Structure formats: C-alpha cells, structure tokens
Amino acid sequence: MATLRRIGIAGAGLSGLAAALAAARAGAQVEVFEAAARLAAPPASIDVVPNMLRDLAALGVAEACVRKGFAYTSMVCVDAAGRTQFEIPAPSLAGAACPAAMGMGYADLLATLHEACVAQGVRLHWGARVERSSTHAGQARLSGAAGLLWQGDLAIVAGAASMLQSEPPLGATSQRLPQRWDHVLVARPRGIDRLTWCVGTSGLKVLVVPTGVAQAGLAVLCDDTPGARPAATPAALRQRLQQMGGAPAAMAALVRDDATVISRPVQTGLLSGPWHRGAVLRIGASAHLLPPHFGQAAAQSIEDAAVLGSLLPTAPDRRRLLAQFHARRTARAAQVHAITTQAALWDLHPEPATDFPALAQQLAPIVEHAA
Ligand SMILES: Cc1cc2nc3c(=O)[nH]c(=O)nc-3n(C[C@H](O)[C@H](O)[C@H](O)COP(=O)(O)OP(=O)(O)OC[C@H]3O[C@@H](n4cnc5c(N)ncnc54)[C@H](O)[C@@H]3O)c2cc1C
C-alpha cells in the first residue's frame, strides 16, 4: 500500500492519465484536474515504440492497446523511388504476449488509459483548470478558478510547460524549432505494413504509421519559418505530398477533403535541476519537451508514470520517493532529449554527419531496460 495516500494531478493528457493509473494501481486515492471539458480525441496516430509498449505493460494496459493497434516488428526508411534506405528492427521488450511495437490511434490510446483509470477508481474532473501548484504546511496543493482546491500528499503537474502560472519555464534550452508536423488519418496506403519514413524528392518527409488494417496516420514534416509556413488544410497537405514526389505523392489522394489536419510545432526543452519542488512533481511535457523522433516524446511521458508506479508501493516517504524518481528519470531523459533534438535538427538541415540509424543505435541501449 502506498505511503503517499492522496495524489492530485493537473492534466489528463498521456502523462497525466498514465501517472494517475500508476498511482491508483499502487493504492493511492487519485484525482485528476483537466482544463478541457472532455477527454481529448486527436484524429492522429501514435507509434507505440518498444520501450513505450513495455511501460504500458507495466501499467497493465498493453493488451488493451494491442487489441486496438497494428503490430509491427521494424521501421523502414524508403526514398522517393520506394527503395529501402535503411531498416531498424524493433526489439521485443514487452514480453512474449505482446508484439515488439505497434501503431495506434492517439484517441484510442488516451481512451484506453482513461478507461483503466476509471476502473481503478481515479476521480477525473473535466473543465477544471488548475492555476497554481504549491506546498503549504507540508501538504501539496492544486488550486484554480471556480473554487478548485485540492490538498494531499503529492501534486503532479503533467502537461504543457507553461500550463501553470506558478511553474517556472523549462529553462534556457526550451525552444520552438522552425519545423512542424501535420498529422492526418487516412486509409492505410497499399503495401505499408510497418512504421515507414518516406523521404520525398524535396528532402521533406512523411511518417506513415499504420493504426489498423484499414487506417494509418500520416505525419508530414514541413518548414515552419514565417514566410514558408504552409496552410494546414487537407488541400494544402495534398499539394505538399504531391510536391514531394515518389511514394508520398501517391498518398496525396488518400487525404480527404473532410479530414482534420492537426499541426504540431516541434519543441525541445528540458527542465534544468530537479523536477520536484516541495510536494509538487513535474512530469511529461512540463519536465521534458522532446521532438517526437523515435517515438520518444510519448514514450518518455509513459516512462515517468511507470517509474512512479514502481516506486510508490515501497517508498517510505515523499522525500525519498522524489529523490529516487529524480535518480531514475532525469539523466536518462536528458540523454533521450539530446538524441531526439539532434534528429529534429537534422530533419530540415542535414549535415555531412547526418546518420539516423546511428542515432537509433545510440538510443537503443539507453531505453532497452526499464528505468
Ligand atoms: C496529435 C499528436 C500526435 C503525436 N504523436 C506522437 C508520436 O507519434 N510520437 C511521440 O513520441 N509523441 C507524439 N506526440 C507527442 C506526445 O504525445 C507528447 O509528448 C505527450 O502528449 C506529452 O504528454 P503530456 O500529457 O505531458 O502533455 P499533453 O499531451 O500536452 O497533455 C497536457 C494536458 O493538460 C491539460 N492542461 C493544460 N493546462 C492545464 C491546466 N492549467 N489545468 C488543467 N489541465 C491543463 C491539457 O488540456 C492536456 O489535456 C503527439 C502529440 C499529439 C497531440
């Protein structure tokens, strides 16, 4: 049974829901406060990479995810003519009952975590914007508009870097890179049966993530500097795919007029110093803003929750829990942050040293074992 009995979480995104699930499974009473009126359901894909699937298994939701996803055993990079440039095998880290990796709908992943939270007794408050996190007389506190006031043993800020007025920013390293990914769901392109990077003739890329037999997510990289910034509409996305030539051009027709295009600027940042202060811990995007390369932006958020879940049942008190969390998470997240940031910088400005397979090889031993 967890020593920290009452845990409050600001944010019901990936990291908040995963942490809520981890804490509830460890026996804590958990309340989640989410600013949005309902669970987000972005029409986009997410690649559930091997270390993320392993950590979802530790949270008890891997099987439910696998039922909704599309399994794969490697990722491949193809050039404009459809020739394989390189292939990176996906190691099996989640146990014999699970595939090595998979793609799934982002909304399905959030819904799976949400269902598991509800089944574990987590109390979710929608339309509850937290404005401040603090520590008073040794108690954690989350407060906000309309009388929102929660007090307990540990408060977790789980989400966007600047979500609370009381939180300092991520530090000098936090920045928006001059590129963005536009996400859209389409019918699965013929012949795409795994995570596939398609490099177009213009040097831009499209990442194809099959999410089911009939569906896939496209994530299209573009230059997001003022002046170059293209529109995020189905028609504009089709045009960009056509300009890329090769396999991406063939996918243009799959983008329907009624599709929703979600634009995500690429950001990078890492909290300098500990992720905790007093009785408040920051996880997910409020502690580490990672470019989504190698699936690590999401995977590192789930890893925060998995580590919390493994520490809570035996942590003798909050101080030692936070110290152990710090020891297991910060250096590792910093290593992954450096690798994914390098990948993002190389995307738009390739150098003679650009070598994505080498970056993947650097990453593999870091995330191979649970944190
Ligand atoms: C469409 C999409 C596709 C993606 N694809 C990938 C991918 O393929 N691979 C990958 O690695 N990463 C991907 N990512 C990024 C990855 O999901 C993020 O790194 C991850 O979501 C970070 O999770 P988070 O919960 O910390 O933050 P967020 O997802 O930003 O969630 C924060 C939550 O907090 C809520 N909130 C904000 N302010 C407040 C407040 N004041 N009070 C209460 N609640 C508040 C927000 O409404 C939100 O629900 C994708 C993200 C999106 C949206």
Side-chain angles (χ1 to χ4, degrees), residues 9-60:
I9 299 177
L14 272 193
S15 62
L17 289 174
L21 178 58
R25 279 164 57 90
Q29 294 167 23
V30 185
E31 295 194 49
V32 178
F33 301 90
E34 164 59 48
R38 61 188 68 84
L39 185 66
S45 59
I46 184 151
D47 48 327
V48 180
V49 292
N51 58 309
M52 178 163 158
L53 192 53
R54 175 197 59 217
D55 292 338
L56 288 169
L59 298 177

Side-chain angles (χ1 to χ4, degrees), residues 44-311:
S45 59
I46 184 151
D47 48 327
V48 180
V49 292
N51 58 309
M52 178 163 158
L53 192 53
R54 175 197 59 217
D55 292 338
L56 288 169
L59 298 177
V61 289
E63 276 179 36
C65 288
V66 170
R67 280 197 295 277
K68 296 176 184 171
F70 186 96
Y72 62 85
T73 54
S74 66
M75 70 82 75
V76 67
C77 178
V78 297
D79 66 14
R83 288 181 300 248
T84 298
Q85 291 189 323
F86 59 84
E87 184 171 354
I88 301 173
S92 212
L93 304 180
C98 283
M102 62 181 199
M104 71 186 293
Y106 202 101
D108 287 337
L109 177 56
L110 286 174
T112 304
L113 289 168
H114 175 250
E115 279 161 28
C117 281
V118 171
Q120 287 289 338
V122 173
R123 289 186 60 201
L124 291 121
H125 305 270
W126 303 102
R129 175 173 292 280
V130 177
E131 285 167 356
R132 181 166 289 276
S133 69
S134 52
T135 308
H136 289 268
Q139 287 265 294
R141 185 181 283 183
L142 295 173
S143 55
L148 189 162
L149 177 62
W150 172 91
Q151 290 194 110
D153 299 315
L154 178 68
I156 298 178
V157 176
S162 55
M163 62 194 268
L164 306 189
Q165 297 158 2
S166 49
E167 303 301 324
L170 277 181
T173 58
S174 173
Q175 59 168 309
R176 180 176 167 164
L177 300 179
Q179 65 222 65
R180 71 169 206 247
W181 289 95
D182 287 346
H183 296 258
V184 68
L185 288 176
V186 297
R188 181 159 68 97
R190 192 172 301 169
I192 299 278
D193 61 359
R194 72 190 88 174
L195 182 80
T196 305
W197 281 98
C198 297
V199 183
T201 44
S202 62
L204 292 186
K205 295 176 179 171
V206 53
L207 180 68
V208 192
V209 182
T211 58
V213 174
Q215 193 185 54
L218 303 184
V220 185
L221 178 69
C222 72
D223 185 345
D224 198 37
T225 44
R229 195 165 285 166
T233 61
L237 199 58
R238 276 196 298 270
Q239 194 182 22
R240 274 156 55 201
L241 286 165
Q242 274 156 359
Q243 284 166 356
M244 287 165 76
M251 290 173 204
L254 300 175
V255 180
R256 293 165 47 131
D257 279 333
D258 60 355
T260 302
V261 180
I262 299 182
S263 271
R264 282 184 48 82
V266 177
Q267 292 176 285
T268 174
L270 192 64
L271 201 59
S272 49
W275 299 357
H276 61 271
R277 193 172 47 177
V280 181
L281 173 66
R282 288 165 66 167
I283 64 169
S286 68
H288 44 77
L289 267 176
L290 271 62
H293 294 70
F294 309 115
Q296 292 303 318
Q300 292 300 305
S301 290
I302 301 294
E303 189 167 301
D304 292 339
V307 170
L308 193 69
S310 81
L311 291 174

